[in-house]
Amino acid sequence: MEVPKKLVTTVSGCADDSLAGLVACNSGLRLLQGHRVVLRHDLQAIRGRVALLSGGGSGHEPAHAGYVGKGMLTGVVAGAMFASPSVGSILAAIRAMAQAGAAGILLIVMNYTGDRLNFGMALERAQAEGADVRMVVVGDDCAFTTLGKAGRRGICGTILIHKVAGALAEAGASLDEIEKKVTAAAKVMGIHGEAGVRRMKVRRKFCCFLPIPRSPYSQTSPLCSSPPPCPIQVLPADKAVEMMLKHMTDPSNASHLSLTPGSSVLLVVNNLGGLSCLELGIVAGAAVRCLENRGIRITRAMVGTFMTSMEMAGVSLTIMLVDEELVKLIDAKTMAVAWPNILAGPATTQREEVPAPIEAPRKPQDETGIGPGTARVQRVLRRVCSILLDMRDKLNELDRGAGDGDCGHTHAQAAQAIQEWMRSRPPPSAPAQLLSALADVLLEQMGGSSGVLYGLFLTAAARSLRGNNGSPAWADAMDAGIEAMQRYGGAAPGDRTM
C-alpha cells in the first residue's frame, strides 16, 4: 500500500480544514461566515479598544491564527497555501471589528508584495467607508548585504510585534500610540535570513542505530537500516549558530542588527517545521552560549514552533533589542493558544546545578571483603568474560536474525567492563556482595536494555542470597533474579527474548 504524503481531505480545501480544526478545538476562536477569517469569540470585548488584524498565506502554522486571542490579535485573515489573503476577506474582517465598536483598527502586515497590496487595498476601501484603519509593515529579515527596493521581508519576528501590539491594545492604548511603539519595536529586531545567504556541504559523521531525520515525503524508511556505523549528516550547532549571528550582526550588511556588549535582547529559536525537539534544544543552548560570549544579556528566550514553512527542516533565530517596557509587554498575559508560557527571567548557561544526592554509607553486611574464595571467583569470571569475547561475532550473527545485530557487541562490552573492574580491585568472595557488585558494573558499563535486565537479575539474586549459602540458596536466588526480570521486562517463557 502506498503511504500518503499528506493527511488532507482535499488540496484546495486544506487551509479551510486546518482553520476549522483549530477553531473546533479552541473555544476562544470563531470563524467569520463565508471567509477564511478567524476572530476572537468575545469580539464585543474590543468595544472602545484598538483592534488588531494580521494574516498571510497558509502553510506557516501556527502563524497567524494561533496568535488570535485576548492580549494579542483580534483576528487573522488566511490566504491559500503560500498566497496572500483576498481583499474581500480582509475588508470583511475590518468591517466586523468596526461594527463591534473598535476604537481604530491596526493592520499588521509582513513585508511581501502580495500582502502589502491586498491589505493596502482593503485599508483604502475601509477608510473610504469611514473606518479608522492604519497599517504597519514588518520587515525583520537581516539577510541582505545590500537592500533592494522591496526592503526586508517579514518573518518570524512578526509574532513579537503581534504580542507588543496586543498587550498595548489590552491596556487601552490609543491607535496612535500602538502604531508608534510597534513601528519602533520592529526597527530593533532581526532574523538571519529567509532565503539563505550561503550554501555549504554538511559534515558527515557516524552513529550506531540512531534514527535518521528524514522528510515525511521520503520513500525510504525513517529509521537507519544500515549496519553500524551508519552515516548521518551533521552540522555542528555551535558553528551554525555562530555563522547565523555573525551574519545578522555584521555592520557591513545593510540589514544588520547592531548588538554591543551589555545589550539586552529577546531571543526566539524557531522550528521551521521539520526540526526535531532534540535539535531545537541543542540549537537553543548554542545560541545562548554564543550571545553570552559576546556579553549580551538574554532577558527572555522563546524556544518552539512559532512560524513554519511546511515542515522545512531548519531553524531560525530572531533577536529583538528590548528595554524594560518592551519586556513587560512581552510578559503580559495572553489567551492566544500558540504563544508560549514564558516564565519571567533571563536565559543563561550559568544556572547552578542541583547537587547530586550523596549515596548512603554501606551497612556492615554490605562491605565487600575478600576471602578464601576470591581466587576461585576470579577464575570463573575470567573464563566467562573470555567466552563472551570469543563469541562476539557469533552472537551478533544470531541477533541479526531477530533483532538489531548488536548482542555480541553489548556482551563484549560487559565482559571488558568486568575485566577492568577485576584489575582495579579483587572481587568480593561473599556471594551476595559479589552479585551486587557485578550488578553495579553492568548497570554503569553495559548499557541498553541488556544492562538493566542483568542488573535486575543480579540485584534480586543478591538480595535473596543475603545470610544464606549452599546449593538450595543459590537455586532460590536464580529464581528470584528471573522473576525480577519477568516482572519488569514483561517477558515470559516462549517469548524468545531476555
Side-chain angles (χ1 to χ4, degrees):
M1 182 180 70
E2 185 178 355
V3 179
K5 296 182 179 180
K6 271 294 174 189
L7 291 173
V8 298
T9 304
T10 64
V11 174
S12 60
C14 61
D16 298 277
D17 293 343
S18 178
L19 291 181
L22 179 70
V23 171
C25 295
N26 293 279
S27 60
L29 303 178
R30 295 291 186 273
L31 287 170
L32 184 61
Q33 187 177 30
H35 297 278
R36 199 180 286 129
V37 173
V38 176
L39 299 169
R40 284 175 54 171
H41 80 291
D42 57 345
L43 204 58
Q44 69 282 354
I46 68 169
R47 178 173 295 276
R49 299 175 187 269
V50 173
L52 306 172
L53 180 64
S54 188
S58 297
H60 304 290
E61 287 72 25
H64 296 275
Y67 304 110
V68 174
K70 183 178 179 180
M72 283 194 79
L73 298 175
T74 312
V76 156
V77 191
M81 197 64 61
F82 304 127
S84 299
S86 69
V87 173
S89 289
I90 298 170
L91 188 57
I94 294 173
R95 286 169 176 162
M97 294 174 185
Q99 291 171 16
I105 301 165
L106 182 65
L107 309 182
I108 302 174
V109 181
M110 296 194 298
N111 188 25
Y112 292 96
T113 303
D115 290 344
R116 291 199 317 270
L117 290 173
N118 288 12
F119 275 91
M121 184 69 249
L123 179 146
E124 293 293 331
R125 291 184 62 180
Q127 287 181 339
E129 295 174 2
D132 187 3
V133 187
R134 316 270 181 87
M135 185 166 79
V136 171
V137 178
V138 181
D140 56 316
D141 192 345
C142 281
F144 301 100
T145 54
T146 57
L147 287 177
K149 187 175 182 180
R152 300 164 66 183
R153 291 168 293 231
I155 14 188
C156 186
T158 308
I159 68 168
L160 302 179
I161 300 302
H162 293 164
K163 184 64 179 64
V164 170
L168 287 167
E170 194 63 34
S174 68
L175 182 57
D176 286 337
E177 185 181 2
I178 297 173
E179 182 183 23
K180 180 180 177 180
K181 289 191 175 180
V182 299
T183 300
K187 292 178 180 178
V188 291
M189 181 175 56
I191 188 171
H192 59 84
E194 179 200 46
V197 295
R198 184 186 309 173
R199 288 184 178 273
M200 58 182 291
K201 289 186 177 180
V202 178
R203 181 163 57 91
R204 183 178 292 273
K205 263 198 172 183
F206 292 92
C207 71
C208 184
F209 293 100
L210 290 177
I212 291 184
R214 290 198 176 114
S215 162
Y217 307 109
S218 174
Q219 298 300 311
T220 55
S221 167
L223 293 177
C224 178
S225 58
S226 305
C230 56
I232 60 173
Q233 302 296 323
V234 174
L235 177 63
D238 288 292
K239 182 178 179 181
V241 167
E242 177 62 38
M243 186 186 310
M244 293 155 72
L245 292 176
K246 181 179 179 181
H247 178 81
M248 65 194 292
T249 59
D250 186 348
S252 66
N253 291 340
S255 61
H256 78 282
L257 178 70
S258 296
L259 276 186
T260 56
S263 298
S264 293
V265 303
L266 183 152
L267 169 69
V268 180
V269 183
N270 174 53
N271 178 6
L272 286 166
L275 204 68
S276 68
C277 291
L278 178 76
E279 294 165 285
L280 195 64
I282 294 171
V283 171
V288 172
R289 282 193 302 274
C290 188
L291 289 170
E292 281 184 332
N293 290 340
R294 293 177 172 216
I296 306 300
R297 173 180 167 81
I298 308 165
T299 306
R300 296 289 185 274
M302 296 167 53
V303 182
T305 304
F306 307 114
M307 185 176 288
T308 64
S309 186
M310 291 302 292
E311 302 108 17
M312 182 183 289
V315 63
S316 68
L317 300 179
T318 299
I319 293 175
M320 183 183 198
L321 289 165
V322 294
D323 54 19
E324 188 175 340
E325 181 184 14
L326 275 177
V327 172
K328 287 182 179 179
L329 295 172
I330 292 295
D331 286 345
K333 186 177 179 181
T334 178
M335 299 299 290
V337 296
W339 186 259
N341 181 25
I342 308 173
L343 297 179
T348 177
T349 59
Q350 307 303 314
R351 302 200 193 284
E352 184 178 351
E353 294 184 345
V354 177
I358 301 173
E359 187 176 355
R362 290 180 180 270
K363 296 178 181 179
Q365 63 266 31
D366 290 337
E367 292 295 333
T368 57
I370 61 173
T374 298
R376 184 180 181 187
V377 168
Q378 288 176 319
R379 287 196 302 271
V380 172
L381 288 177
R382 289 194 188 105
R383 179 62 177 154
V384 170
C385 292
S386 175
I387 292 173
L388 288 175
L389 290 169
D390 290 341
M391 292 185 65
R392 179 187 344 224
D393 294 339
K394 181 63 175 177
L395 290 174
N396 281 337
E397 181 183 349
L398 290 171
D399 192 30
R400 275 193 286 271
D404 49 14
D406 68 340
C407 183
H409 288 299
T410 303
H411 284 76
Q413 186 174 338
Q416 290 165 347
I418 294 172
Q419 288 175 334
E420 183 63 30
W421 171 66
M422 287 194 296
R423 282 193 288 269
S424 66
R425 60 183 301 174
S429 60
Q433 282 74 44
L434 172 65
L435 298 188
S436 181
L438 285 172
D440 291 341
V441 172
L442 296 184
L443 284 170
E444 286 186 18
Q445 303 294 331
M446 191 174 188
S449 57
S450 297
V452 178
L453 285 168
Y454 281 124
L456 281 168
F457 175 85
L458 293 167
T459 299
R463 188 181 302 116
S464 177
L465 277 173
R466 280 183 182 157
N468 299 311
N469 212 329
S471 298
W474 275 96
D476 291 342
M478 297 302 101
D479 286 342
I482 291 171
E483 193 276 331
M485 292 173 69
Q486 290 178 320
R487 182 167 67 252
Y488 294 105
D495 286 346
R496 292 168 53 186
T497 178
M498 285 182 66

